[in-house]
Amino acid sequence: MTTGELLTALWNDYIATTPQAERIHRLLAERGEVVRNDHVALRTYGIPGIGIAALARPFEALGWVEQAARYRFTDKKLVARYWQHPDPNLPKVFISELCVHELSAAANIIIDRLVSQLPAGFRERPDLPWAGRPWSVRRAEYESLLLESEYAAWVAAFGFRVNHFTVNVNALTTFPDLLALNAFLLDHGFTLNESGGAIKGNVSERLEQSSTRADSIEVELDGEVVRIPSCYYEFAKRYPLPSGELFHGFVPASADKIFESTDVKRA
Ligand code: NI
């Protein structure tokens, strides 16, 4: 598999649950933009065999290199790391995992039941980052996870897939800044995540980000079909460090608010 094939597989899986991303991508292309991605983001449970390291493996095999930064989101009980490819045209890979042992015993019982359904060999699948949902989850389980952790409920409902792609705003040629891009999206009827303001971060943090609110799609929860938020599209503008080099890391306070783009109660 090539890097191009891997990213195409992730993109096709992503737009199947996030039709707005394909519409936005097309609108940008119609303006003459060539869309490049800043990063792709994946979510998982912090459990051996399916945690961050497991999801990173297919990317590492194709040349992505783990970076030193370690991120912690205390309120959301998450940790995250990211990978960068020597080819600067390829997106970074941002992978977070839920520290499941910080959740209640009740939540752990639910997550244990999900993980106990993993088929033999699942953890070793080369397509683990887009392997889909390998377990059945009951609506009551989804809702009880939701009360404690939106992220836990999202992983239960969607399993293994990209949570979002992020447009590299620096590479766009017809938008002077993120504000102009946001205005374009609002004009076309898209809804932005306003948690912490439409634009998270600032020039002094070297990174500005915005995102749409997640699409809601129909998901089957143990025979019942429910509409729940799936994935969103993100936009990132990066600024140079004092060294002149572009900042490639992430800003936890901003990412913390971006995570809320899939929240049910705000949708
Ligand atoms: Ni992101």
Side-chain angles (χ1 to χ4, degrees), residues 7 37-40 64 83-85 87-93 165-166:
L7 293 168
N37 291 303
D38 178 84
H39 64 275
V40 298
W64 272 270
W83 280 253
Q84 218 171 332
H85 199 279
D87 178 350
N89 291 316
L90 295 180
K92 292 174 273 292
V93 178
F165 272 75
T166 300

Side-chain angles (χ1 to χ4, degrees), residues 39 41 164 166 209 234:
H39 64 275
H164 61 272
T166 300
Q209 288 165 279
E234 189 177 298

Side-chain angles (χ1 to χ4, degrees), residues 9-10 13 42 50 55 118-119 121-135 158-162:
L10 293 175
D13 183 58
L42 298 133
I50 58 165
L55 287 190
L118 289 178
F122 182 84
R123 295 166 179 81
E124 291 76 37
R125 281 176 65 155
D127 61 348
L128 185 64
W130 68 103
R133 194 181 83 190
W135 45 61
F158 293 102
F160 298 83
R161 61 185 347 138
V162 161

Side-chain angles (χ1 to χ4, degrees), residues 227-239:
R227 282 192 80 81
I228 57 175
S230 56
C231 309
Y232 55 91
Y233 210 10
E234 189 177 298
F235 313 93
K237 170 126 179 148
R238 296 183 177 276
Y239 294 90

Side-chain angles (χ1 to χ4, degrees), residues 4 13 15 23 38 54 80 102 111 149 154-155 174 187 190 200 208 229 252:
D13 183 58
I15 58 173
R23 292 203 304 277
D38 178 84
E102 296 176 21
I111 292 170
S149 162
W154 189 93
V155 175
T174 65
D187 271 357
F190 295 98
K200 285 86 172 150
E208 290 176 336

Side-chain angles (χ1 to χ4, degrees), residues 7-26:
L7 293 168
T8 299
L10 293 175
W11 175 257
N12 288 338
D13 183 58
Y14 168 67
I15 58 173
T17 50
T18 318
Q20 57 169 321
E22 192 176 26
R23 292 203 304 277
I24 292 170
H25 195 278
R26 194 183 324 119

Side-chain angles (χ1 to χ4, degrees), residues 240-252:
L241 295 160
S243 65
E245 204 191 328
L246 214 54
F247 173 65
H248 279 294
F250 294 85
V251 178

